[in-house]
Amino acid sequence: MNVNRRKFVGAAGGAALIGAASLRPAWAAPQYRYKYANNLPPSHPMNVRANEAAKAIAKDTDGRFELAIFPSSQLGSDTDTLSQLRSGAVEFFTLSGLILSTLVPASSISGIGFAFPNYDAVWKAMDGDLGAYIRKEIEGKGLVVMDKIWDSGFRQVTTSNRPINGPGDFKDLKIRVPVSPLWTSMFKALGAAPASINFNETYSALQTKVVDGQENPLAIIQTAKLYEVQKYCSLTNHMWDGFWFLSNRRAWEKLPKDVREVVAKHINGAAMGVRADVLALNNDLQSQLAKQGLAFNTPEPGPIRDALRQAGFYKEWQGKYGDKAWGLLEQSVGKLS
Ligand code: X2X
């Protein structure tokens, strides 16, 4: 009896030294269950890669941390979800830097029209000094942001009534844009009539002809089935867009350091997966979307860009962002205005 008892105490004492985590039975509920909200359908690489990350995080934290994913704006529009993120009702959210600019003005600079000629320039800026500057501004507003921005892609214009062959075709076009001053400003500068509408209301706004057009990367036009309610797709590549993976600060700081490291590692890993997936999709989807009924054309970007310049678009936004931020952008892409 005595021997057994001593053995038992010894074993338990030893286990206690190893730490509570390793004593967690496999069936125990997660200690942390954090909600991750986003605006895209489950089939978009964003959600495919987030699901992979969630599995890897559960495994590497021995089930202590669960990433509960809510795609398709299930928890609310982007505008609502940003408020919920700030209050802590939602712990994680991926949001376009352009929409985030309603809180962090500098974060829309990556969406300046025709700023990035290609992906090399995008990653040089966003994984480099410009991205670091924007992340600092985001942290300054009390949010936590992961290092690697998730790719959305270069954006293309779709409409139900006409192709865009040159800047003149934007005249009075009723086009849905996300809720962001930069987007509105850019399409006004092109002579269009932009309407700010959250993504979760975009399909129905197109279907009911509240607006005639919208603009998004092909991977979103495909996965959100926007081709069902649009006829033309003009490959304007007029701006690049990406999603910052954001966290509520209190929720993030509540996590033990080892859990934080595992989460950050797999979230940044997912970002790199999304970049590869979106690149492949945006290259491959044109023929599929053409079969689904979209009529494609490729306008010259030069005249559209000139129209922006003549409208004073670049000068205006350079003034808003200030010379420091503008200089960091031009460091990656060359002179813009
Ligand atoms: O709202 C959009 O168009 C989308 C899905 O591209 C963004 O999140 C900016």
Side-chain angles (χ1 to χ4, degrees):
M1 279 298 261
N2 273 348
V3 171
N4 282 346
R5 189 172 175 277
R6 210 175 308 128
K7 256 193 195 151
F8 174 77
V9 169
L17 286 179
I18 295 165
S22 49
L23 283 181
R24 251 185 111 259
W27 41 261
Q31 270 170 282
Y32 306 97
R33 181 177 187 274
Y34 278 19
K35 294 186 280 303
Y36 160 43
N38 69 68
N39 63 4
L40 294 184
S43 57
H44 188 277
M46 170 186 277
N47 282 305
V48 175
R49 294 293 182 174
N51 271 300
E52 284 175 13
K55 287 200 186 88
I57 293 166
K59 181 164 172 282
D60 288 357
T61 60
D62 292 323
R64 275 188 295 159
F65 186 94
E66 181 189 338
L67 186 70
I69 305 170
F70 295 86
S72 305
S73 303
Q74 279 170 22
L75 301 181
S77 71
D78 280 342
T79 309
D80 286 345
T81 310
L82 180 58
S83 304
Q84 294 182 58
L85 179 79
R86 295 180 72 195
S87 73
V90 164
E91 288 88 2
F92 293 121
F93 182 32
T94 35
L95 184 62
S96 161
L98 277 77
I99 301 176
L100 180 60
S101 75
T102 55
L103 174 68
V104 184
S107 73
S108 65
I109 193 169
S110 52
I112 284 290
F114 301 99
F116 297 114
N118 52 45
Y119 269 114
D120 282 349
V122 170
W123 304 134
K124 186 173 161 210
M126 302 313 284
D127 290 338
D129 293 345
L130 183 67
Y133 173 85
I134 296 170
R135 288 197 300 279
K136 201 152 161 259
E137 294 288 310
I138 296 172
E139 302 260 348
K141 295 288 177 176
L143 295 172
V144 170
V145 56
M146 297 294 139
D147 286 346
K148 298 289 178 190
I149 192 164
W150 293 39
D151 188 24
S152 181
F154 285 89
R155 299 176 77 94
Q156 323 296 355
V157 177
T158 67
T159 79
S160 59
N161 57 6
R162 59 176 180 261
I164 304 297
N165 286 303
D169 293 319
F170 283 108
K171 180 131 183 51
D172 298 329
L173 176 69
K174 282 195 277 172
I175 185 168
R176 172 272 171 176
V177 294
V179 183
S180 157
L182 178 64
W183 250 303
T184 306
S185 160
M186 179 164 158
F187 282 89
K188 277 196 177 146
L190 291 170
S196 300
I197 298 175
N198 272 297
F199 190 65
N200 61 338
E201 288 168 358
T202 296
Y203 184 100
S204 69
L206 293 166
Q207 191 175 36
T208 58
K209 301 264 165 61
V210 168
V211 287
D212 295 319
Q214 66 84 43
E215 43 80 62
N216 253 301
L218 296 187
I220 293 178
I221 294 169
Q222 169 65 31
T223 55
K225 299 190 172 23
L226 301 182
Y227 57 84
E228 292 178 349
V229 288
Q230 295 282 267
K231 196 160 168 37
Y232 300 97
C233 182
S234 302
L235 298 172
T236 48
N237 288 299
H238 55 275
M239 72 212 287
W240 174 81
D241 191 31
F243 299 91
W244 289 110
F245 197 99
L246 306 167
S247 178
N248 173 277
R249 176 173 293 286
R250 282 182 312 275
W252 182 251
E253 287 177 352
K254 210 187 288 169
L255 297 175
K257 190 160 173 287
D258 62 326
V259 173
R260 263 188 256 166
E261 278 168 10
V262 169
V263 172
K265 180 178 122 191
H266 290 300
I267 293 301
N268 286 323
M272 300 314 278
V274 169
R275 291 182 187 186
D277 297 346
V278 165
L279 180 69
L281 278 179
N282 286 341
N283 285 334
D284 294 350
L285 278 176
Q286 183 178 339
S287 57
Q288 193 179 325
L289 284 163
K291 278 189 212 121
Q292 285 160 322
L294 277 188
F296 280 87
N297 74 300
T298 307
E300 282 293 326
I304 304 176
R305 190 173 173 168
D306 289 346
L308 286 176
R309 196 176 283 125
Q310 278 156 25
F313 172 79
Y314 295 100
K315 273 272 157 299
E316 180 189 339
W317 285 90
Q318 177 173 8
K320 285 191 173 143
Y321 294 123
D323 288 341
K324 175 156 185 223
W326 198 259
L328 290 173
L329 176 60
E330 288 191 333
Q331 186 180 297
S332 302
V333 302
K335 265 248 151 297
L336 278 174
S337 40

